[in-house]
Amino acid sequence: MTSSNGIGYIRQQEDEREFLEGTSLDTLAVSAKPKLKGPGIGTPIVPSISVSAMHRYKTIDDFVRSLSDGYAYPRLGNHSCESAAHAINSLEDGVGAMMFSSGMSGISATMLALLKSGDHVIAPGLVYAGSYSFMKSFLTKYDIEVTFVEAGNLDAYRKAIKPNTKILYGETPSNPSLGVLDLAGLATVTKEAPSGALSIVDSTFATPYLQQPLKLGIDVVIHSCSKYLGGHSDLVAGVACCKDLGTLHLISGASKKLGSGLSPFDGFLVLRGIRSLPVRMERHCKNAMTIAQFLEQHPKISRVSYPGLSSHPQHEVAKKQMRGYGGVVTFEMASGEAAKTVVEASCKYTADTVFFVIHCLIL
């Protein structure tokens, strides 16, 4: 209705409950809650941050239904996190995705969901340090064997297969060497394992905007959302997208039991980052190529590694499976002293571990 001074509308709130006259201030302080306005009239463009750890149900049947098709407890499901998972899964073209509290949480929960004592894993020796440490020091404690092979060498993967091999793990482009793994080739080799192995790939350095492993036959793709997907240096998160519902069910179950899910606010931040991902990735790739080409011609640089350069040993593979080559350039100075000078002279840049964001970083 129109206000008496004609300025606008008075929005009077109606409580969800009807309190008795004389209800104590204590009760009102903890219970007063207005009805949600606008159901069926308009839908928010940006999903709201859903932080409630409790929900109210009219019937027992409603509660039971919420366990599979609603929200009963944040560890089991949260709208903010599912909104982010849905957006990433849409880019990856999978059957579903799970958000995690970090990239390493996604990697560890995924492996624990799919492995048991006596199983065997094949992974590259040159891989993200956290992944290497988890497989070498943690999995082996539970009688899970891990064989490390040359990164990107499909023949090495093939030769390492055993009757109990359950996971062939890869990373492309790899951290930090920027080696490129043939994804379709890894999927083919995985099918040769006699025990029904699965392929898992960390695609953080590419993002689903530049590379879609599931479309090339990979079973599970993992990202650290702290990097490109978040994009603003203000969150830590991870995600796993699956090609198969059975695999997704196992990973989802493990996440709920391990309590490795993401907070609602971080889920909101991930979704915000994804909305600008295409624009950011285009600029990342353009800038990185310019820098890589400049460094490759510099007399004080001994080696430059960037998948977009024709000099990169897996450039043709990268061309086949990527639409862009990312925002990271790896290079080596001609001497250690020269490398130290470059890093110390670049005081306007940031030395950090969370890269692929809006700042220029030297690692």
Side-chain angles (χ1 to χ4, degrees):
M1 65 180 179
T2 305
S3 64
S4 58
N5 58 14
I7 293 177
Y9 294 93
I10 298 174
R11 294 176 61 86
Q12 292 180 303
Q13 305 298 326
E14 181 182 357
D15 204 286
E16 285 190 341
R17 299 181 181 183
E18 185 175 340
F19 294 102
L20 297 175
E21 185 177 351
T23 298
S24 71
L25 296 179
D26 306 74
T27 299
L28 292 174
V30 300
S31 303
K33 180 183 177 184
K35 288 183 178 179
L36 180 66
K37 290 184 179 293
I41 300 175
T43 302
I45 296 298
V46 179
S48 302
I49 304 176
S50 176
V51 298
S52 180
M54 298 178 64
H55 294 78
R56 183 183 297 120
Y57 308 96
K58 293 180 179 179
T59 67
I60 294 297
D61 289 341
D62 287 345
F63 168 72
V64 173
R65 189 162 59 249
S66 75
L67 296 175
S68 60
D69 194 30
Y71 302 103
Y73 189 63
R75 180 168 54 82
L76 306 179
N78 174 274
H79 181 63
S80 299
C81 297
E82 289 183 357
S83 296
H86 175 75
I88 298 171
N89 184 66
S90 296
L91 296 176
E92 288 288 7
D93 197 27
V95 298
M98 280 294 301
M99 299 301 302
F100 295 92
S101 57
S102 68
M104 273 309 306
S105 177
I107 291 169
S108 58
T110 296
M111 288 200 168
L112 292 174
L114 303 176
L115 294 169
K116 65 181 185 304
S117 295
D119 286 344
H120 175 236
V121 177
I122 305 173
L126 190 59
V127 70
Y128 172 59
S131 304
Y132 180 85
S133 177
F134 173 75
M135 287 184 272
K136 184 175 177 63
S137 304
F138 191 90
L139 289 183
T140 53
K141 289 170 57 178
Y142 296 93
D143 193 30
I144 296 172
E145 182 184 3
V146 182
T147 298
F148 293 102
V149 299
E150 180 185 356
N153 188 333
L154 294 179
D155 285 336
Y157 275 95
R158 182 176 286 108
K159 292 176 182 177
I161 291 175
K162 298 182 178 183
N164 59 336
T165 298
K166 293 296 183 180
I167 288 177
L168 278 73
Y169 183 87
E171 190 179 86
T172 186
S174 61
N175 179 0
S177 64
L178 299 184
V180 176
L181 173 65
D182 187 329
L183 293 170
L186 181 67
T188 298
V189 172
T190 301
K191 293 176 182 178
E192 298 175 12
S195 53
L198 297 175
S199 54
I200 301 175
V201 167
D202 183 340
S203 188
T204 297
F205 271 47
T207 80
Y209 185 71
L210 301 182
Q211 174 175 278
Q212 296 171 297
L214 300 184
K215 285 189 173 183
L216 297 173
I218 299 301
D219 296 295
V220 182
V221 57
I222 294 175
H223 297 275
S224 169
C225 302
S226 317
K227 317 302 191 302
Y228 284 130
L229 293 179
H232 293 77
S233 305
D234 55 7
L235 67 93
V236 176
V239 67
C241 300
C242 301
K243 187 177 68 173
D244 174 76
L245 280 174
T247 305
L248 177 65
H249 177 74
L250 292 173
I251 296 173
S252 173
S255 174
K256 294 170 183 176
K257 294 178 179 67
L258 294 169
S260 56
L262 185 64
S263 76
F265 188 71
D266 285 333
F268 169 81
L269 291 178
V270 171
L271 182 60
R272 174 209 59 180
I274 293 168
R275 298 312 190 203
S276 64
L277 181 67
V279 176
R280 289 187 288 107
M281 293 312 300
E282 294 287 352
R283 182 57 63 88
H284 274 308
C285 293
K286 180 180 178 181
N287 290 348
M289 179 63 84
T290 300
I291 292 171
Q293 291 172 337
F294 170 79
L295 293 175
E296 193 172 40
Q297 302 302 318
H298 201 286
K300 293 187 178 181
I301 305 295
S302 61
R303 188 180 75 90
V304 178
S305 179
Y306 183 66
L309 296 175
S310 59
S311 58
H312 190 284
Q314 293 94 38
H315 175 64
E316 292 302 318
V317 176
K319 282 175 59 178
K320 180 177 65 173
Q321 66 189 28
M322 302 179 73
R323 59 184 292 175
Y325 306 106
V328 176
V329 178
T330 297
F331 65 96
E332 297 178 6
M333 301 296 296
S335 69
E337 189 61 32
K340 180 180 178 182
T341 300
V342 168
V343 173
E344 292 180 347
S346 303
C347 58
K348 64 180 178 180
Y349 297 118
T350 302
D352 204 347
T353 55
V354 180
F355 34 92
F356 316 141
V357 288
I358 56 177
H359 309 99
C360 186
L361 306 178
I362 289 183
L363 305 176

